[in-house]
Every structure is written in C-alpha cells, then in structure tokens.
Amino acid sequence: MKVILNQTVPKVGKQGQVVTVKDGFARNYLFPRGLAIFAEKKQVAAVERRHSLVAVKEAGTVSAAEDVKAMLHGKSVRIEAKVGAAGGKLFGAITSQDVADAIAKQLKVKVEKKQVALIEPIKRLGHHRVEVDLHRSVDAVITVVVFDPSVVEEVVVETAAPVPVVEEAVVVAAPAPGSAPVVEEVVAETVAESVDEASAEEVVEA
C-alpha cells in the first residue's frame, strides 16, 4: 500500500513523502495515529506534474536549512518535569511544542512544533534523541534531557522508536492549501527493527 505521510516519521519518511508499506502497518500504526493517509493514483499523478515548479521555489531553502542544522545538530536542551512516587514516569508529558519552546529559549533557534519529529509525547525522565525536520533533505538530531530537580540520578531512556524497513519512497513537497503535494523518487534508509510489536507489521519493499 502507498501512503502519504502527514508528518515526519523517523526512519520512515518525511512529511509529504509517499512510501510503500504493508497494509497492516498502515492500518494498525500510521492511520490510527493520523500519521498518514492512503495515496490514490490521482494524487500521485497530480504532484508529479507540479514537481518542477516546487523544485525551483525551494532551490534556495537547502542552504538556509543547513545553517539551522549547524546550530542544532548534536546539541541538547533540558526540560524540567515532575515524576510520581514510583519514579521515572512523568505527571503529564513532554510534547513537540514543549521541545520547540525549549529550543527557542535555550538554543535561540525558532522551529515549528510540526518540525519536531516526536511521534509520541515523552513520558519518562532521561535523555531522549529527537529529530528536527528542517527540509526534505536536511535533518538535525538533538538530545532532550527531561529531569526532575528532586531526583538525584536521571534515568536514561531511548525514545527514538525503531521502525520497520522502508525500501523505496517518493518525496512529496508539502502542498499549498487545497492542492496536492509534489513527488520525486528517493531511497529511504533501511531499518531492521519493529515499531510496535503489538500492532505494527514490517514495511515491505516498494
């Protein structure tokens, strides 16, 4: 099944990409979370026709995205939170907006919350690897340190959810309101782990 990603999914694709996945992975993981929609043939054909126009428009944005990456990649931000008596699990959760606000305040770089590729809110203390989607071809990875001042030792947690294998993808530029996105072919990174052992299936080759 081909789907269009509504937002960036780490190791799967970026917002606006068309990727080929197994039906179960789409129905059990992507669709329920609102991460993707079914890609109809008419949509793909329309975005292919508009590709050249969008490519010209975006020609100058890669350099700007690389400049922002230089300010973010490998850096860390700290976010204070409170945990329950059992320790580890937070009261509430850290959202994409919280991360974007911390980046703006601590690293002096403004990013939109939709650029913070956080599929699920952070719910535990520790160090969390988070991807920031700056451009279709430019990403930055930062570390979000969630801590409770009353807890002496922080718990290290890996939150970057491993995702099934993606073989081929078609890049679709983010569409203007009321129009379809634009597509170009790319090869996505291969990942050997499973996203959700309970519901997600492996992504198949295109």
Side-chain angles (χ1 to χ4, degrees):
M1 178 188 297
K2 286 189 176 182
V3 300
I4 299 176
L5 296 176
N6 289 330
Q7 71 178 74
T8 298
V9 180
K11 305 295 180 66
V12 172
K14 291 177 173 289
Q15 180 181 18
Q17 273 191 335
V18 174
V19 294
T20 302
V21 301
K22 257 189 174 180
D23 291 0
F25 177 62
R27 294 193 180 105
N28 297 330
Y29 185 76
L30 297 177
F31 294 163
R33 291 168 172 79
L35 301 177
I37 60 173
F38 178 72
E40 297 179 351
K41 291 182 179 179
K42 290 181 179 180
Q43 291 176 304
V44 175
V47 295
E48 285 175 340
R49 288 194 296 270
R50 297 183 59 249
H51 170 64
S52 59
L53 295 177
V54 174
V56 171
K57 184 178 179 180
E58 291 190 346
T61 63
V62 176
S63 177
E66 289 287 359
D67 291 341
V68 176
K69 178 179 180 178
M71 294 186 283
L72 295 181
H73 193 67
K75 302 296 179 59
S76 64
V77 295
R78 293 173 61 84
I79 299 179
E80 183 175 333
K82 295 295 183 182
V83 297
K89 192 171 183 179
L90 305 183
F91 287 123
I94 306 300
T95 66
S96 296
Q97 186 63 63
D98 294 325
V99 176
D101 291 343
I103 291 173
K105 183 176 181 179
Q106 299 174 34
L107 301 180
K108 311 303 181 186
V109 177
K110 181 174 176 58
V111 298
E112 301 294 333
K113 70 175 183 179
K114 66 182 180 180
Q115 293 178 283
V116 179
L118 197 61
I119 304 305
E120 301 287 348
I122 298 173
K123 298 180 180 180
R124 300 192 69 84
L125 298 179
H127 295 68
H128 307 266
R129 180 181 180 275
V130 176
E131 184 178 301
V132 182
D133 182 5
L134 302 174
H135 185 272
R136 287 185 299 160
S137 60
V138 181
D139 298 312
V141 177
I142 66 168
T143 299
V144 177
V145 181
V146 182
F147 70 99
D148 183 338
S150 65
V151 177
V152 176
E153 183 177 356
E154 295 176 352
V155 180
V156 177
V157 180
E158 290 292 340
T159 59
V163 191
V165 175
V166 176
E167 294 296 343
E168 293 185 2
V170 180
V171 174
V172 182
S179 64
V182 172
V183 179
E184 63 175 326
E185 293 187 356
V186 298
V187 177
E189 180 180 356
T190 298
V191 180
E193 296 129 323
S194 170
V195 175
D196 187 342
E197 293 181 358
S199 60
E201 299 180 27
E202 293 184 347
V203 179
V204 299
E205 296 184 2

